[in-house]
Amino acid sequence: MNDLEKKLRDAGLRPTKQRLLISHYLFSGPQMHVTADSLYSELIDRDINISLATIYNVLNVFTSHGLLREISIDPSRSYFDTNIKRHYHYYFEKTGKLEDISIEELKISPMPEKKNGFDVNCVDVVIRVDG
Amino acid sequence: MNDLEKKLRDAGLRPTKQRLLISHYLFSGPQMHVTADSLYSELIDRDINISLATIYNVLNVFTSHGLLREISIDPSRSYFDTNIKRHYHYYFEKTGKLEDISIEELKISPMPEKKNGFDVNCVDVVIRVDG
DNA sequence: CAACTAGTTTAGAATAGTTCTAAAATAAAC
DNA sequence: GTTTATTTTAGAACTATTCTAAACTAGTTG
Ligand SMILES: [Mn+2]
Ligand SMILES: [Mn+2]
Ligand SMILES: [Zn+2]
Ligand SMILES: [Zn+2]
């Protein structure tokens, strides 16, 4: 059982052919930010033909099982982040690219823990730049 | 020339009947966060019948002329904020409501001014809570 | 005022990202 | 190997938003 198969099983997911191919693209190299469309195109470029419905299914199920994080940046499409540790983003509005900002680089204080008795699920910071 | 008419003219916009009615709803009371749909429904409730296309036109033109700010919170719809001063948000994921956080309440440091030579357009902070 | 022009509103069509449906395929359990 | 639950898929459906083009209106000019 290889690393990717273990990663999927540990998350409670069946390691199907399509999930493994997508995992290989997403998780075997440097961390990245993808949209459904960018992922679909990149896989097509590598002659990996997975239906767009499956791309959406996999992005959503990976997100709900903690392997990806969804980022709301642009109301016209969802971004998914392979970096699931707490961090923030630069967003380059012209190119649509994202770049990580570590929590050491940018400090928020006081870091909120609760609001009206409700737990804080996450703190999203997006710094929008022209480029 | 009343306040709302002046506000529109100062922004370089013609004070049409529809824009004035929408401005009255948005700008005459406390600050608020709306979606195209919530605004449309609230106006219908007040027997103000403006086409949904116009609601979208007006929200977009108000935003591009600095009378509103668009907030990316939820990939399934756009929020617009009548508070155009720098501030941050709590987002209550179950109800879809937003609440302002002032820049005195939450500090970010260092406040970024530039990135790769590009200007920072805005710094969005969203604290997502369960409620 | 009347005539003119540029900008605005509107219904309805179109678009596009995403989700749904239901049938075929596959993974896991027995 | 057989069975069962899960997954994949093509294509349809959905939905927030934008577009189209015709009717309307605000502002300008004489
Ligand atoms: Mn989603
Ligand atoms: Mn918009
Ligand atoms: Zn990231
Ligand atoms: Zn606000």
Side-chain angles (χ1 to χ4, degrees):
Chain A
M1 183 159 84
N2 71 34
D3 282 2
L4 290 174
E5 186 175 342
K6 176 162 170 29
K7 186 180 175 93
L8 293 182
R9 285 195 197 282
D10 287 352
L13 295 171
R14 286 192 185 177
T16 65
K17 190 165 67 118
Q18 290 83 350
R19 287 175 180 171
L20 287 167
L21 288 165
I22 292 172
S23 294
H24 179 73
Y25 174 74
L26 291 175
F27 303 128
S28 292
Q31 287 173 332
M32 64 176 87
H33 306 98
V34 299
T35 62
D37 230 62
S38 77
L39 175 57
Y40 185 67
S41 310
E42 290 293 332
L43 294 175
I44 296 290
D45 287 353
R46 289 163 177 69
D47 288 305
I48 297 168
N49 288 78
I50 296 175
S51 76
L52 190 54
T54 299
I55 299 288
Y56 276 104
N57 288 342
V58 171
L59 288 174
N60 284 328
V61 81
F62 280 12
T63 300
S64 64
H65 286 69
L67 302 181
L68 289 175
R69 226 179 89 187
E70 193 169 0
I71 308 176
S72 290
I73 288 266
D74 176 341
S76 76
R77 70 202 142 162
S78 275
Y79 281 77
F80 295 86
D81 196 338
T82 61
N83 181 358
I84 56 175
K85 295 197 303 270
R86 225 149 50 71
H87 69 286
Y88 311 127
H89 292 99
Y90 287 110
Y91 180 57
F92 297 92
E93 301 196 313
K94 288 211 180 64
T95 61
K97 296 285 175 232
L98 286 167
E99 188 180 315
D100 284 355
I101 305 174
S102 72
I103 55 176
E104 286 79 35
E105 267 174 279
L106 194 80
K107 296 289 184 192
I108 291 189
S109 63
M111 182 55 70
E113 302 290 339
K114 288 260 184 186
K115 169 65 181 173
N116 300 352
F118 296 118
D119 285 333
V120 168
N121 290 334
C122 65
V123 176
D124 292 343
V125 178
V126 178
I127 298 175
R128 289 167 197 276
V129 301
D130 268 330
Chain B
M1 184 160 83
N2 71 35
D3 282 2
L4 289 175
E5 187 176 340
K6 176 161 170 30
K7 187 181 175 93
L8 294 182
R9 286 195 197 280
D10 287 351
L13 295 171
R14 286 194 186 176
T16 65
K17 191 165 73 132
Q18 290 84 350
R19 288 176 180 169
L20 286 166
L21 287 165
I22 292 173
S23 293
H24 179 75
Y25 175 74
L26 291 175
F27 302 129
S28 293
Q31 287 173 334
M32 64 176 85
H33 305 97
V34 300
T35 62
D37 229 61
S38 76
L39 176 56
Y40 184 67
S41 311
E42 290 293 333
L43 293 175
I44 295 290
D45 287 353
R46 289 162 176 70
D47 288 306
I48 297 168
N49 287 80
I50 296 175
S51 77
L52 190 54
T54 298
I55 299 288
Y56 276 103
N57 288 342
V58 171
L59 287 174
N60 284 328
V61 81
F62 280 13
T63 301
S64 64
H65 286 70
L67 301 180
L68 290 175
R69 225 179 90 187
E70 193 169 359
I71 307 177
S72 289
I73 289 266
D74 176 340
S76 76
R77 71 203 142 159
S78 275
Y79 282 76
F80 295 85
D81 195 339
T82 61
N83 181 356
I84 55 174
K85 294 197 304 269
R86 230 154 41 75
H87 68 285
Y88 311 126
H89 292 99
Y90 287 110
Y91 180 58
F92 297 93
E93 300 196 312
K94 289 212 179 61
T95 61
K97 295 285 175 231
L98 286 167
E99 188 179 316
D100 284 353
I101 306 174
S102 72
I103 55 175
E104 286 80 35
E105 267 175 280
L106 195 79
K107 295 287 184 190
I108 291 189
S109 62
M111 181 55 70
E113 301 290 340
K114 287 260 183 185
K115 170 64 181 173
N116 300 353
F118 296 118
D119 285 335
V120 168
N121 290 334
C122 65
V123 176
D124 292 344
V125 178
V126 178
I127 297 174
R128 288 166 198 275
V129 301
D130 268 330

